[in-house]
Amino acid sequence: MTRLLHLLLLSLFCADLPAKELVLYTEENPPINFSQAGELDGMAVEVVRELLQRTDSRAQMLSVPWARGYRMATTQPDVGLFVTVRTPERETLFRWVGPIISTSTTLYARSGEALPVTTLEEARQLGRIAVPRDWYSHQVLVRLGFSNLELVPKPHEMVRMTLLGRVPLMVYEDQLLPGLLQEVGAPPDALQPVHTFMRTSSYIAFSLGTDPVRVQRWQAELDAMKRDGSFVRIHRRWFPDEPPAGLQADQDLLP
């Protein structure tokens, strides 16, 4: 009886403890998430800050190279990574909150280049393809058997390589390309789309060591933001010409 009482008291004490501080990783990927004057900014950053307030959560938000954030989110408890494309390969690796945004993924070349690429199979035969390391596009192309991938730590480096002719093709999201070109000081028409091969939805990906009740609360508050209009207002500030993500993800298009 004494042991049972001890366990009961311990469980009540633990229930009153504040939730452990989260570590939330993101990357430089304007206009969704990026650093400006030493502060994080962007559409997803605004959404996450609102969710932190609504869920009364404490968190560090850090901008790191994607591969590092991905590694931490797959190995450490109480870690979130945003935004993360939800693919079949990743489904069981995380606890998901979203969708936050939907994007189309395209092969891009320097403007004016005459590249005979209308399919992924043709791209497989055409030199090197620059892609950010451990991004979903990298993982999908590896699954499809691509061996001609030039892996880069950040999208900025990939754009510069393509513009300098070091690689004929790069992979990026249509909705994010204007912001990336502006970041590297390139004109908006510096790259041309060659072949669009995916449409996907991105989420906040929490590590499996994160309390599922906490994750469920984040999802409930995100749904509430979409119902009360606050999510739409944030989205329109950054993507005025794109429809915001709904309560459910759009139908993904994966090769």
PDB file of all heavy atoms in Angstrom, residues 86-96 208:
ATOM      1  N   ARG A  86       6.297  16.052 -46.024  1.00  0.00           N
ATOM      2  CA  ARG A  86       5.828  14.750 -45.535  1.00  0.00           C
ATOM      3  C   ARG A  86       5.757  13.774 -46.702  1.00  0.00           C
ATOM      4  O   ARG A  86       4.943  13.929 -47.603  1.00  0.00           O
ATOM      5  CB  ARG A  86       4.450  14.918 -44.891  1.00  0.00           C
ATOM      6  CG  ARG A  86       3.955  13.687 -44.156  1.00  0.00           C
ATOM      7  CD  ARG A  86       2.687  14.023 -43.381  1.00  0.00           C
ATOM      8  NE  ARG A  86       2.209  12.914 -42.582  1.00  0.00           N
ATOM      9  CZ  ARG A  86       1.225  12.999 -41.687  1.00  0.00           C
ATOM     10  NH1 ARG A  86       0.615  14.164 -41.505  1.00  0.00           N
ATOM     11  NH2 ARG A  86       0.843  11.933 -40.990  1.00  0.00           N
ATOM     12  N   THR A  87       6.632  12.796 -46.678  1.00  0.00           N
ATOM     13  CA  THR A  87       6.700  11.792 -47.740  1.00  0.00           C
ATOM     14  C   THR A  87       6.554  10.402 -47.131  1.00  0.00           C
ATOM     15  O   THR A  87       6.741  10.225 -45.916  1.00  0.00           O
ATOM     16  CB  THR A  87       8.043  11.865 -48.483  1.00  0.00           C
ATOM     17  OG1 THR A  87       9.105  11.545 -47.559  1.00  0.00           O
ATOM     18  CG2 THR A  87       8.276  13.247 -49.077  1.00  0.00           C
ATOM     19  N   PRO A  88       6.232   9.392 -47.948  1.00  0.00           N
ATOM     20  CA  PRO A  88       6.136   8.026 -47.414  1.00  0.00           C
ATOM     21  C   PRO A  88       7.412   7.568 -46.720  1.00  0.00           C
ATOM     22  O   PRO A  88       7.353   6.859 -45.706  1.00  0.00           O
ATOM     23  CB  PRO A  88       5.844   7.189 -48.669  1.00  0.00           C
ATOM     24  CG  PRO A  88       5.156   8.137 -49.595  1.00  0.00           C
ATOM     25  CD  PRO A  88       5.810   9.467 -49.368  1.00  0.00           C
ATOM     26  N   GLU A  89       8.571   7.985 -47.234  1.00  0.00           N
ATOM     27  CA  GLU A  89       9.836   7.569 -46.629  1.00  0.00           C
ATOM     28  C   GLU A  89      10.004   8.124 -45.215  1.00  0.00           C
ATOM     29  O   GLU A  89      10.672   7.520 -44.372  1.00  0.00           O
ATOM     30  CB  GLU A  89      11.019   8.028 -47.492  1.00  0.00           C
ATOM     31  CG  GLU A  89      11.120   7.355 -48.839  1.00  0.00           C
ATOM     32  CD  GLU A  89      10.318   8.067 -49.920  1.00  0.00           C
ATOM     33  OE1 GLU A  89       9.539   8.981 -49.596  1.00  0.00           O
ATOM     34  OE2 GLU A  89      10.469   7.704 -51.094  1.00  0.00           O
ATOM     35  N   ARG A  90       9.404   9.271 -44.949  1.00  0.00           N
ATOM     36  CA  ARG A  90       9.568   9.935 -43.653  1.00  0.00           C
ATOM     37  C   ARG A  90       8.410   9.697 -42.695  1.00  0.00           C
ATOM     38  O   ARG A  90       8.487  10.083 -41.530  1.00  0.00           O
ATOM     39  CB  ARG A  90       9.704  11.443 -43.868  1.00  0.00           C
ATOM     40  CG  ARG A  90      10.949  11.874 -44.606  1.00  0.00           C
ATOM     41  CD  ARG A  90      10.913  13.365 -44.881  1.00  0.00           C
ATOM     42  NE  ARG A  90      12.163  13.863 -45.448  1.00  0.00           N
ATOM     43  CZ  ARG A  90      12.351  15.109 -45.844  1.00  0.00           C
ATOM     44  NH1 ARG A  90      11.364  15.983 -45.749  1.00  0.00           N
ATOM     45  NH2 ARG A  90      13.518  15.491 -46.351  1.00  0.00           N
ATOM     46  N   GLU A  91       7.340   9.086 -43.165  1.00  0.00           N
ATOM     47  CA  GLU A  91       6.090   9.037 -42.407  1.00  0.00           C
ATOM     48  C   GLU A  91       6.278   8.540 -40.976  1.00  0.00           C
ATOM     49  O   GLU A  91       5.731   9.109 -40.028  1.00  0.00           O
ATOM     50  CB  GLU A  91       5.070   8.159 -43.140  1.00  0.00           C
ATOM     51  CG  GLU A  91       3.709   8.103 -42.481  1.00  0.00           C
ATOM     52  CD  GLU A  91       3.008   9.461 -42.445  1.00  0.00           C
ATOM     53  OE1 GLU A  91       3.185  10.250 -43.387  1.00  0.00           O
ATOM     54  OE2 GLU A  91       2.284   9.722 -41.466  1.00  0.00           O
ATOM     55  N   THR A  92       7.034   7.475 -40.767  1.00  0.00           N
ATOM     56  CA  THR A  92       7.175   6.881 -39.439  1.00  0.00           C
ATOM     57  C   THR A  92       8.350   7.461 -38.647  1.00  0.00           C
ATOM     58  O   THR A  92       8.604   7.019 -37.521  1.00  0.00           O
ATOM     59  CB  THR A  92       7.351   5.364 -39.552  1.00  0.00           C
ATOM     60  OG1 THR A  92       8.530   5.075 -40.331  1.00  0.00           O
ATOM     61  CG2 THR A  92       6.147   4.728 -40.234  1.00  0.00           C
ATOM     62  N   LEU A  93       9.047   8.461 -39.216  1.00  0.00           N
ATOM     63  CA  LEU A  93      10.214   9.022 -38.535  1.00  0.00           C
ATOM     64  C   LEU A  93       9.864  10.176 -37.611  1.00  0.00           C
ATOM     65  O   LEU A  93      10.667  10.552 -36.748  1.00  0.00           O
ATOM     66  CB  LEU A  93      11.237   9.510 -39.572  1.00  0.00           C
ATOM     67  CG  LEU A  93      11.811   8.467 -40.527  1.00  0.00           C
ATOM     68  CD1 LEU A  93      12.783   9.131 -41.500  1.00  0.00           C
ATOM     69  CD2 LEU A  93      12.505   7.357 -39.749  1.00  0.00           C
ATOM     70  N   PHE A  94       8.660  10.746 -37.778  1.00  0.00           N
ATOM     71  CA  PHE A  94       8.297  11.952 -37.039  1.00  0.00           C
ATOM     72  C   PHE A  94       6.848  11.894 -36.570  1.00  0.00           C
ATOM     73  O   PHE A  94       6.067  11.059 -37.017  1.00  0.00           O
ATOM     74  CB  PHE A  94       8.451  13.197 -37.931  1.00  0.00           C
ATOM     75  CG  PHE A  94       9.824  13.403 -38.507  1.00  0.00           C
ATOM     76  CD1 PHE A  94      10.090  13.084 -39.833  1.00  0.00           C
ATOM     77  CD2 PHE A  94      10.844  13.917 -37.736  1.00  0.00           C
ATOM     78  CE1 PHE A  94      11.356  13.279 -40.371  1.00  0.00           C
ATOM     79  CE2 PHE A  94      12.110  14.120 -38.264  1.00  0.00           C
ATOM     80  CZ  PHE A  94      12.365  13.789 -39.577  1.00  0.00           C
ATOM     81  N   ARG A  95       6.506  12.834 -35.694  1.00  0.00           N
ATOM     82  CA  ARG A  95       5.111  13.153 -35.371  1.00  0.00           C
ATOM     83  C   ARG A  95       4.810  14.471 -36.079  1.00  0.00           C
ATOM     84  O   ARG A  95       5.564  15.435 -35.950  1.00  0.00           O
ATOM     85  CB  ARG A  95       4.916  13.294 -33.858  1.00  0.00           C
ATOM     86  CG  ARG A  95       5.353  12.068 -33.058  1.00  0.00           C
ATOM     87  CD  ARG A  95       4.986  12.231 -31.589  1.00  0.00           C
ATOM     88  NE  ARG A  95       5.606  11.219 -30.761  1.00  0.00           N
ATOM     89  CZ  ARG A  95       5.152   9.975 -30.600  1.00  0.00           C
ATOM     90  NH1 ARG A  95       4.042   9.613 -31.239  1.00  0.00           N
ATOM     91  NH2 ARG A  95       5.770   9.111 -29.830  1.00  0.00           N
ATOM     92  N   TRP A  96       3.700  14.524 -36.825  1.00  0.00           N
ATOM     93  CA  TRP A  96       3.477  15.596 -37.781  1.00  0.00           C
ATOM     94  C   TRP A  96       2.426  16.598 -37.314  1.00  0.00           C
ATOM     95  O   TRP A  96       1.381  16.209 -36.772  1.00  0.00           O
ATOM     96  CB  TRP A  96       3.043  15.003 -39.119  1.00  0.00           C
ATOM     97  CG  TRP A  96       4.042  14.054 -39.709  1.00  0.00           C
ATOM     98  CD1 TRP A  96       4.077  12.703 -39.548  1.00  0.00           C
ATOM     99  CD2 TRP A  96       5.152  14.393 -40.545  1.00  0.00           C
ATOM    100  NE1 TRP A  96       5.145  12.172 -40.242  1.00  0.00           N
ATOM    101  CE2 TRP A  96       5.821  13.187 -40.857  1.00  0.00           C
ATOM    102  CE3 TRP A  96       5.639  15.588 -41.060  1.00  0.00           C
ATOM    103  CZ2 TRP A  96       6.949  13.150 -41.671  1.00  0.00           C
ATOM    104  CZ3 TRP A  96       6.763  15.556 -41.866  1.00  0.00           C
ATOM    105  CH2 TRP A  96       7.407  14.352 -42.163  1.00  0.00           C
ATOM    106  N   LEU A 208      10.175  11.623 -32.592  1.00  0.00           N
ATOM    107  CA  LEU A 208       9.345  10.599 -31.976  1.00  0.00           C
ATOM    108  C   LEU A 208       9.441  10.636 -30.453  1.00  0.00           C
ATOM    109  O   LEU A 208       8.547  10.149 -29.763  1.00  0.00           O
ATOM    110  CB  LEU A 208       9.770   9.214 -32.486  1.00  0.00           C
ATOM    111  CG  LEU A 208       9.522   8.957 -33.978  1.00  0.00           C
ATOM    112  CD1 LEU A 208       9.995   7.561 -34.355  1.00  0.00           C
ATOM    113  CD2 LEU A 208       8.051   9.139 -34.345  1.00  0.00           C
TER     114      LEU A 208
END
